[in-house]
Amino acid sequence: MAGQVVTGSRSGLRSALPLLLPAYLWLTVAIFLPLSAMVFFSFMTELPLSGRAWSFTLDNYATFFSQGLYWTLLLASLRLGLEVTLWCVVIGYPAAYVLAKVFRGRSREAIFLLVILPFWSNGLVRIFSWAMVLREGGILDTALNAVLPFKINIDLMYSYPAVIIGLVHSYVPYMVLTCYLTLQAIDDSLIEAGRSLGASRLQMLKRVIIPLSMPGLVAGAALIFVPVVGSFMEPRILGGRTGTFYGTVIEDQFVAVFNWPLGAALSFILLAVVLVILALASPVLKRVA
Amino acid sequence: MAGVQVANLSRSFGAHKALDDVSIDFADGGFYALLGPSGSGKTTLLRQIAGFDFPDSGRIAIGGESVERVPVEKRRIGMVFQNYALFPNMSVADNVAFGLSVRGEAKATIASEVQRALDLVQLGKLGARRPHQLSGGQRQRVALARAIVTKPRVLLLDEPLGALDKALRVDMQIELKRIQREIGITTIFVTHDQEEALTMSDRIGILRDGRLVQEGPPEEIYDKPKSEFAATFLGDANILRGETTGTGIRLADGTAIAAGAGATLAAGAKASCAVRPERIRIGTDSGTSDPNANMLRGQISKRIFAGNNSTYFVDRDGQTIKVIVQNTGVEKLAEGQKVVLRWSPESTVLIAASQDMD
Ligand SMILES: Nc1ncnc2c1ncn2[C@@H]1O[C@H](COP(=O)(O)OP(=O)(O)O)[C@@H](O)[C@H]1O
Ligand SMILES: [Mg+2]
């Protein structure tokens, strides 16, 4: 069987087909069909489900360009994506380094589990837990006032930092995992060789370790930046009134205003912008990585 | 450049003594081979000298300066790793430049020093390549150039030729020796290959289970091994056991074997004699030319022809004695033939019976 597949003959292709079929079927059903439907919706005046008459239009896309608000929100979301990604690098990379190069054996497994724990908890539970910690008179507030001699009033709830904290917590495991994989592939003897040549730890980091783990950083950044730019759950729950972003506006179109065509059009504009950013960044990233 | 002294060095991992009271004086400018079976502590010793790991007790001095607690980046040593450990994200030239560049040397100095080092290892034209575009032998040369370009006080090599095939290995042995002579650097070379140790070094230290078994110039260790382990690990040796007579031994069947060198032992103690296979003459006649020669009778059980020489395995009294004879085209002995073995007492080394070897 395996031999047949390797030969690449027609019979090989035929025996490989049953193996590939589920994957293609899944891609078609889960991604291609809904996406095509959304493209279709984004060019309609009305949702056909509502029973009213509809026709094709470009108005939904025009709305984005005619109203400065959408553009402002998109910029705010891009900035949010950038900030969250940077915080994930700042927190996730050192964690991955320690995990890959300092801990060994059992203790590494235990800490690894702690890192990926957020992955296993429900997103909403995670966000509401943060709400309990961050609100005025909440856990953080109470704890700080119990330790500090003077009275302070921490009210991070419904603020931009709260959104950042919630998002960083949700997405930092991606950075830890991708960086861990590349860091752990760096042979310890490279680090020893560098040190025997007189390099300080900082020099080793700058000249050998970071360049060699760049693919992990880039992959982690892409995995985080893209969904954060479109995120709506954390901004809505932790940001309150300050939490209006591009993603929350899209969500509104689908669940509150029921203007699916506009929501679809806004989504595709976001997709296009993100793809352009990744395309522009890729030659630079390829060079450093 | 500088000599290296280690004194009473011990290092344990848990209950396991990887180094047990090792003292060696590595001469300034010398080429020293650390030889021993796998797990004998060679790498551990080298790592203590390099500063990657620190001893539990004992002293290490480089150029007379105590360095036990000095971290590796301050010891000014050059290290070559078995897996080359070249930085894959840098060109060959940048790899070699690394040590100079982290020190903040001027660009022009770095460029000329790097070129000189690459020329020395005969890779002058490959500076722009990436490590993955080089062969194993070339990578090893880059690793060597990178280690010596910073003018370290000592060059440490941990089985640097272990990953190369036989022919390339011999080339690299010659090359390494040439470079070492040219720059005159104190070199400590770890190997488990006895031939490599014999041909390359001017001193050998044999390690076993973390202890230094014997130490000296190659000829001395080969000709006067102090233990059965040293005799059989460095080169081939026939070991005959019995009770010592003071100047030799008496075998179980009463045959006396005279030894011209080795330990002085009290008569009656258990002892053994070591004889190199190439020192034994083999023949069919019983007539003797040298009345002092040691003599044993036996029967050839096997003969292996290897072109320029033949190896005979001769059975006698339950023991097999190995004899290597140069192929002169005269002697022709067949398997099954009864033979007489003779060798001089000068070729026989008396060794005290060791507790840890049988
Ligand atoms: N970091 C370490 N932790 C535990 N045991 C070690 C460590 N390094 C070496 N050892 C043990 O010390 C002994 C000597 O090892 P090593 O010096 O690497 O031997 P060699 O290089 O002669 O093959 C071995 O039994 C090895 O298992
Ligand atoms: Mg070793």
Side-chain angles (χ1 to χ4, degrees), chain A residues 6-83:
Chain A
V6 170
T7 58
S9 65
R10 201 170 297 160
S11 74
L13 195 66
R14 210 178 305 141
S15 62
L17 211 56
L19 298 174
L20 290 173
L21 212 56
Y24 280 114
L25 216 59
W26 169 251
L27 281 177
T28 311
V29 173
I31 295 174
F32 187 69
L33 287 181
L35 219 56
S36 324
M38 279 296 154
V39 174
F40 195 62
F41 287 162
S42 73
F43 290 105
M44 293 164 89
T45 52
E46 287 280 348
L47 215 57
L49 309 173
S50 62
R52 275 176 285 178
W54 59 272
S55 58
F56 284 112
T57 178
L58 288 174
D59 280 359
N60 297 316
Y61 288 92
T63 308
F64 174 85
F65 293 101
S66 62
Q67 297 195 21
L69 173 70
Y70 293 117
W71 187 242
T72 311
L73 287 175
L74 180 59
L75 284 183
S77 283
L78 290 174
R79 182 183 146 207
L80 181 70
L82 204 64
E83 278 185 38

Side-chain angles (χ1 to χ4, degrees), chain A residues 76-100:
Chain A
S77 283
L78 290 174
R79 182 183 146 207
L80 181 70
L82 204 64
E83 278 185 38
V84 169
T85 308
L86 282 179
W87 279 112
C88 285
V89 171
V90 168
I91 297 167
Y93 190 79
Y97 183 84
V98 170
L99 210 54

Side-chain angles (χ1 to χ4, degrees), chain A:
Chain A
M1 268 292 274
Q4 284 180 334
V5 176
V6 170
T7 58
S9 65
R10 201 170 297 160
S11 74
L13 195 66
R14 210 178 305 141
S15 62
L17 211 56
L19 298 174
L20 290 173
L21 212 56
Y24 280 114
L25 216 59
W26 169 251
L27 281 177
T28 311
V29 173
I31 295 174
F32 187 69
L33 287 181
L35 219 56
S36 324
M38 279 296 154
V39 174
F40 195 62
F41 287 162
S42 73
F43 290 105
M44 293 164 89
T45 52
E46 287 280 348
L47 215 57
L49 309 173
S50 62
R52 275 176 285 178
W54 59 272
S55 58
F56 284 112
T57 178
L58 288 174
D59 280 359
N60 297 316
Y61 288 92
T63 308
F64 174 85
F65 293 101
S66 62
Q67 297 195 21
L69 173 70
Y70 293 117
W71 187 242
T72 311
L73 287 175
L74 180 59
L75 284 183
S77 283
L78 290 174
R79 182 183 146 207
L80 181 70
L82 204 64
E83 278 185 38
V84 169
T85 308
L86 282 179
W87 279 112
C88 285
V89 171
V90 168
I91 297 167
Y93 190 79
Y97 183 84
V98 170
L99 210 54
K101 293 287 168 214
V102 180
F103 286 106
R104 304 261 173 242
R106 265 290 150 83
S107 51
R108 177 188 284 180
E109 285 167 26
I111 296 187
F112 214 99
L113 208 65
L114 284 179
V115 170
I116 59 172
L117 219 54
F119 269 164
W120 295 346
S121 63
N122 177 284
L124 271 176
V125 171
R126 202 159 57 215
I127 296 164
F128 278 111
S129 311
W130 274 114
M132 280 180 3
V133 171
L134 297 175
R135 71 163 203 272
E136 189 176 7
I139 296 170
L140 182 64
D141 206 7
T142 316
L144 278 178
N145 278 313
V147 194
L148 294 173
F150 50 89
K151 174 97 183 123
I152 55 161
N153 196 356
I154 299 259
D155 183 13
L156 278 175
M157 197 55 194
Y158 305 130
S159 70
Y160 188 66
V163 177
I164 298 269
I165 290 173
L167 283 169
V168 167
H169 181 234
S170 300
Y171 286 98
V172 79
Y174 288 104
M175 188 59 78
V176 177
L177 287 180
T178 56
C179 290
Y180 172 80
L181 289 178
T182 48
L183 281 167
Q184 171 264 1
I186 299 175
D187 198 321
D188 286 345
S189 67
L190 287 187
I191 297 169
E192 294 191 336
R195 294 184 61 206
S196 75
L197 291 165
S200 66
R201 276 161 212 273
L202 202 66
Q203 283 171 321
M204 277 314 287
L205 198 67
K206 227 176 72 190
R207 293 177 177 225
V208 178
I209 296 168
I210 291 181
L212 286 178
S213 51
M214 204 40 100
L217 278 166
V218 171
L223 281 177
I224 292 166
F225 180 76
V226 175
V228 167
V229 171
S231 66
F232 54 88
M233 218 155 56
E234 289 88 349
R236 196 179 287 295
I237 299 170
L238 297 173
R241 225 177 315 118
T242 63
T244 307
F245 287 93
Y246 197 77
T248 59
V249 169
I250 294 177
E251 191 212 3
D252 279 339
Q253 304 311 313
F254 283 97
V255 304
V257 189
F258 292 110
N259 190 349
W260 283 30
L262 180 59
L266 292 177
S267 302
F268 282 109
I269 289 168
L270 176 61
L271 183 63
V273 169
V274 165
L275 286 179
V276 167
I277 291 175
L278 291 183
L280 289 179
S282 78
V284 183
L285 294 176
K286 231 178 241 148
R287 197 154 40 89
V288 292

Side-chain angles (χ1 to χ4, degrees), chain A residues 187 189-201 203-204 207-209 211-212, chain B residues 47 52 72-73 77 79 81 83 85-90 98-99 101-102 146-147 150:
Chain A
D187 198 321
S189 67
L190 287 187
I191 297 169
E192 294 191 336
R195 294 184 61 206
S196 75
L197 291 165
S200 66
R201 276 161 212 273
Q203 283 171 321
M204 277 314 287
R207 293 177 177 225
V208 178
I209 296 168
L212 286 178
Chain B
R47 291 174 66 81
F52 292 124
V72 52
E73 51 272 34
I77 52 110
M79 177 106 186
F81 295 81
N83 66 352
L86 299 178
F87 305 125
N89 57 317
M90 298 178 200
F98 188 85
S101 128
V102 294
R146 183 179 67 174
T150 55

Side-chain angles (χ1 to χ4, degrees), chain B residues 54-347:
Chain B
F54 297 102
D56 299 328
S57 63
R59 289 180 300 103
I60 306 169
I62 300 177
E65 172 206 347
S66 242
V67 295
E68 296 93 53
R69 296 292 148 190
V70 178
V72 52
E73 51 272 34
K74 302 243 163 68
R75 282 197 192 182
R76 293 198 286 128
I77 52 110
M79 177 106 186
V80 175
F81 295 81
Q82 181 170 7
N83 66 352
Y84 321 123
L86 299 178
F87 305 125
N89 57 317
M90 298 178 200
S91 69
V92 164
D94 286 345
N95 261 282
V96 178
F98 188 85
L100 297 171
S101 128
V102 294
R103 263 194 221 165
E105 301 273 354
K107 281 226 159 58
T109 320
I110 295 178
S112 69
E113 290 289 316
V114 166
Q115 194 53 51
R116 202 135 63 95
L118 284 177
D119 287 340
L120 186 66
V121 297
Q122 301 180 344
L123 288 179
K125 294 194 181 68
L126 300 186
R129 293 241 189 124
R130 288 284 174 133
H132 68 86
Q133 295 168 315
L134 301 179
S135 71
Q138 289 172 329
R139 283 181 216 185
Q140 196 52 267
R141 286 162 198 254
V142 177
L144 185 61
R146 183 179 67 174
I148 59 180
V149 75
T150 55
K151 304 209 165 50
R153 299 186 287 182
V154 200
L155 181 61
L156 307 172
L157 306 107
D158 193 355
E159 310 209 15
L161 311 179
L164 303 178
D165 61 55
K166 181 80 183 164
L168 200 54
R169 242 174 121 120
V170 173
D171 284 351
M172 277 303 288
Q173 286 173 4
I174 295 167
E175 185 76 2
L176 186 59
K177 190 71 198 159
R178 172 185 70 78
I179 292 166
Q180 192 267 340
R181 280 225 190 86
E182 207 164 312
I183 59 177
I185 187 171
T186 310
T187 301
I188 305 175
F189 182 94
V190 163
T191 179
H192 63 255
D193 182 336
Q194 43 122 346
E195 206 178 298
E196 206 164 87
L198 281 172
T199 55
M200 295 184 74
S201 53
D202 39 50
R203 259 184 116 78
I204 296 176
I206 299 181
L207 284 172
R208 183 188 190 207
D209 295 334
R211 284 194 305 274
L212 186 66
V213 173
Q214 192 172 351
E215 204 256 336
E219 293 87 352
E220 185 187 304
I221 299 188
Y222 189 79
D223 290 338
K224 296 188 174 66
K226 285 183 184 151
S227 61
E228 290 184 10
F229 178 76
T232 50
F233 193 74
L234 192 78
D236 230 335
N238 294 298
I239 303 289
L240 301 162
R241 299 202 183 90
E243 270 179 11
T244 179
T245 56
T247 56
I249 58 168
R250 194 179 309 283
L251 302 180
D253 64 2
T255 315
I257 305 287
T264 40
L265 299 168
K270 286 216 177 305
S272 38
C273 279
V275 196
R276 300 288 179 193
E278 72 275 13
R279 299 282 177 86
I280 301 176
R281 278 161 291 141
I282 186 167
T284 47
D285 61 316
S286 51
T288 174
S289 46
D290 178 4
N292 295 326
N294 290 310
M295 190 187 84
L296 288 175
R297 288 173 196 281
Q299 186 176 20
I300 296 175
S301 63
K302 200 170 174 192
R303 169 179 182 247
I304 296 173
F305 176 71
N308 63 350
N309 66 51
S310 293
T311 304
Y312 293 97
F313 294 88
V314 179
D315 283 347
R316 93 150 280 276
D317 198 18
Q319 190 180 7
T320 302
I321 293 172
K322 199 169 161 182
V323 182
I324 296 177
V325 179
Q326 285 300 312
N327 182 7
T328 54
V330 180
E331 210 83 58
K332 279 252 160 50
L333 298 163
E335 288 177 7
Q337 210 166 341
K338 288 202 164 26
V339 287
V340 180
L341 305 177
R342 285 199 183 83
W343 69 95
S344 75
E346 286 70 43
S347 298

